[in-house]
Structure formats: C-alpha cells, structure tokens
Amino acid sequence: MTKAPLRAVNSEFAFSRIGEGMPQIFSKNANGVARFVIWGSCAALLIAAAIGTVLPRSDLITGVGEPLAQPVPFSHKHHVGQLGIDCRYCHNGVESSSSAGLPATEVCMTCHSQLFTNANMLAPVRASLVSGKPIEWQRVNSVPDFVFFNHAIHVNKGVACETCHGEVDQMPLTRRAHTLSMEWCLGCHRNPGPNLRPPQDVFLMHWQPPADIDEIRRQLIGMLDIHPDTMTDCYVCHR
C-alpha cells in the first residue's frame, strides 16, 4: 500500500528533472535578434517598394531637364525666342506626318550660307553639306518603338507644341520638358480638354487663353471629333 504513492512521487521528481544539464539552443538575446530581423526585413521591403515606385519617375531616369550633347549646339532660344522662326520651318512634317521631322542640312544653310559662315560651331553643318551625309542629331523627345505616336493627329486636334515639348524658346540647348511616359500621356487622353487650344494657335509660344476658354474647349472636343471615352483603349497607342 505504501509503494504506489512512492512511484507517483518519483515520477513527478523525474519529470521535474527533465532538461536539466541539456545545452541551451538559443541565447537570451535570440528573441531580440528575431524581432530585429523580422522588422528589418519589412522595412527593407517597404524601402525597396518606395524606390521602385519613385526612381523610375525621377529626372535621373526620365532625363527630364537634362540637355543632350549634340554635334551642333543648336539653340531654340536664339532661333525661336529671339529670331521668331516658326516651328514648321525646320519641322515641316509636323502637320501632315507621324514624325515632325528634322531639318535637312540645306535648310540650315539657307541662312548660314550668309550668316556665321566660318563659325567653328557650324563646321559639322558645312561638312554635312559637302559630304551629303545628314547631321546625326541626338533625339531628345522619344517614345518606345512599341508605341504609336502621330504628331499630325495631335497638332491638328489642338495640342500645342509647348504642351509636350515645353517652352523651347527659352532653351539654349534642347532638353526634355516632360517624361512622355504612359502615365503622363494617359492623363491627357483621359481628360484632353485642359490641353486643347484652337488649332491655328498650336505653334504659338506662351499662348494666353481667352476668358471663355472652357467653352471653347468644349466646342473643340465636338468640332475636332475628339472621343475621350475611347482614347485610353490599348489599340490607340499600341498597334
């Protein structure tokens, strides 16, 4: 009768001794380290997501505001802003073609056969005229090859040059004024009204809208057959 309680006591004693003398697997700081790793990983993911969102839109990636080195330091500020040369004199395809076009060397020499004929900066122009090889300008404003863009459509629908290209008449060296990204273009396609003006005014720089511009723009949307409800369809830009 006295052995059963003894076995129970011995079992409880043995159970209480389990684990004594075994090495400790985790240090006392393990919980703190685990918390640091978990929260640090979460913070790193958030930072990476923020960088992935902001960096592609930054001027560093888009090139906005940075002029490109050109074979001839052509100044829109001088030619457009000071001399008042119309955009179409050099970009003669802008009203009728998908590409605005770049001026042939002969167009440049229309003036420079008489003006600044021996200027060092114009040496590439003279060499181009002699060799017949076009000047290799660096493209400042462009969209990817898989994007269909037509200058003539935009100009004839009342979208001005400065809407996309900025105030080129103030640019000593041409630079990109806007990202021309899909996001940027869709903003206008969804709501084109604020960027419209009468087609005869699209080549004017620093155009000042009249007081009734909102009504004019509403009329232009109808008159120029502009359909914002379909302008965000994929096929409009990807054909």
Side-chain angles (χ1 to χ4, degrees), residues 20-40:
E20 287 190 8
M22 294 179 63
Q24 188 171 357
I25 298 176
F26 299 104
S27 68
K28 295 180 179 180
N29 297 325
N31 287 341
V33 172
R35 292 190 188 95
F36 176 80
V37 171
I38 292 172
W39 288 110

Side-chain angles (χ1 to χ4, degrees), residues 2 7 14 17 19 23 25 54 70 77 80-81 84 87 100 102 106-107 136 160 163 173 200 211 219 231 234-235 237:
T2 59
R7 284 198 299 270
R17 300 286 294 177
I25 298 176
V54 175
Q70 301 287 358
K77 182 176 182 179
V80 179
C87 303
L102 290 172
E106 288 76 10
V107 174
E136 296 183 0
T163 299
L173 295 175
Q200 66 269 21
Q219 294 177 10
M231 285 169 53
C234 298
Y235 75 87
C237 299

Side-chain angles (χ1 to χ4, degrees), residues 63-217:
V64 171
E66 290 295 327
L68 297 180
Q70 301 287 358
V72 179
F74 180 86
S75 172
H76 276 87
K77 182 176 182 179
H78 173 66
H79 290 81
V80 179
Q82 297 172 357
L83 300 180
I85 296 176
D86 189 280
C87 303
R88 291 163 289 187
Y89 184 77
C90 296
H91 305 290
N92 54 22
V94 70
E95 293 179 291
S96 58
S97 174
S98 61
S99 173
L102 290 172
T105 303
E106 288 76 10
V107 174
C108 302
M109 293 303 292
T110 301
C111 295
H112 289 297
S113 61
Q114 305 296 323
L115 301 171
F116 307 108
T117 54
N118 295 316
N120 290 333
M121 71 171 62
L122 296 178
V125 180
R126 296 191 295 270
S128 172
L129 183 67
V130 172
S131 67
K133 295 181 180 179
I135 299 171
E136 296 183 0
W137 299 101
Q138 298 298 312
R139 196 176 186 90
V140 176
N141 296 285
S142 63
V143 293
D145 292 339
F146 55 81
V147 176
F148 173 79
F149 178 83
N150 189 305
H151 268 92
I153 290 175
H154 289 77
V155 168
N156 293 320
K157 297 291 186 181
V159 179
C161 301
E162 64 180 341
T163 299
C164 299
H165 298 299
E167 297 177 344
V168 295
D169 63 326
Q170 302 300 313
M171 298 182 186
L173 295 175
T174 309
R175 61 184 184 274
R176 179 176 287 203
H178 301 288
T179 64
L180 306 184
S181 65
M182 180 176 178
E183 180 182 26
W184 187 83
C185 294
L186 282 175
C188 182
H189 277 218
R190 291 189 180 103
N191 183 27
N195 292 311
L196 298 180
R197 65 176 69 173
Q200 66 269 21
D201 294 335
V202 297
F203 299 106
L204 298 179
M205 302 300 299
H206 310 288
W207 177 75
Q208 296 298 318
D212 59 343
I213 186 59
D214 291 337
E215 178 58 29
I216 291 175
R217 283 168 171 161

